[in-house]
Amino acid sequence: MSDMSTIEPGGPAQGVDETSLEMGIDPFERNWIRVSILLLVVFFATVSISGFALGFQVNGADQEVDPETVLDTPPWNEPGLRQISPGVYEAWVVALTWAFQPAELEIPVGSTVTIYVTSPDLQHGFKITDTNVNMQVVPGQVSKLEYTFDEVGEFPYICTEYCGRGHAIMAGTVKVVPETANGSGNESDTTSDSESDSESDSESDSESDS
């Protein structure tokens, strides 16, 4: 009985080495903790670079609409492209079975476009190829993203959510055109027409006076 260790209240058993009671971390667990911390750092860096440097955005419900009456409510009753200021546009797009309205958007190169999309019937998707525009379109909600079109060309937009037998043909096109083909040329033509009209008026006036 004299060789048995006695336990004092609040302390370790007598005759037991206190260092043997210290808790440690297994080297295998320690390495996994380090890997986990590294993954968190990489994840945070990836999200930060994508959001701030590359311009990736998470689309959200910008507003709510009534799916039953949205097609009769402005501006959804006349979807399309609207110029807000030079180089700044808004695009209002309706996704419905199985088409987009409008089926084509013509945008001057270098323009920044805020895209609004909604649906009156089913859940759809809206993705513009070769861009980072990719939205989920939910009936009753308006999805919104902003994008600057810096390259001339055609960029098809497609539905990325299966919505029935016509899903595969549900598509449209964004046509990014040079600035001279959308606005400046028309202005010069208008100026020329007005000048020619004024010249013809002067000639007719002079003939009448003579």
Side-chain angles (χ1 to χ4, degrees), residues 133-208:
V133 176
N134 189 358
M135 294 185 279
Q136 187 178 50
V137 185
V138 180
Q141 295 184 356
V142 179
S143 298
K144 170 186 173 184
L145 276 179
E146 184 180 282
Y147 187 78
T148 300
F149 293 89
D150 293 324
E151 297 181 7
V152 175
E154 294 188 0
F155 301 87
Y157 48 87
I158 59 175
C159 177
T160 54
E161 298 279 346
Y162 182 74
C163 53
R165 64 178 181 271
H167 166 72
I169 62 172
M170 188 172 173
T173 305
V174 174
K175 288 187 176 181
V176 183
V177 298
E179 293 184 2
T180 53
N182 193 316
S184 59
N186 296 334
E187 291 178 2
S188 60
D189 294 341
T190 305
T191 305
S192 303
D193 292 341
S194 60
E195 289 177 353
S196 61
D197 291 341
S198 58
E199 289 177 359
S200 60
D201 292 340
S202 338
E203 291 176 357
S204 19
D205 291 340
S206 60
E207 289 176 358
S208 60

Side-chain angles (χ1 to χ4, degrees), residues 64-120:
E64 294 184 355
V65 294
D66 186 352
E68 297 182 357
T69 61
V70 64
L71 296 180
D72 299 322
T73 305
W76 302 106
N77 58 340
E78 295 181 0
L81 191 69
R82 294 171 174 79
Q83 184 173 12
I84 306 303
S85 61
V88 179
Y89 293 82
E90 288 182 347
W92 300 82
V93 181
V94 177
L96 66 166
T97 52
W98 288 279
F100 287 107
Q101 295 180 353
E104 182 178 298
L105 294 169
E106 185 171 305
I107 300 169
V109 66
S111 299
T112 299
V113 184
T114 303
I115 305 169
Y116 300 88
V117 191
T118 192
S119 169

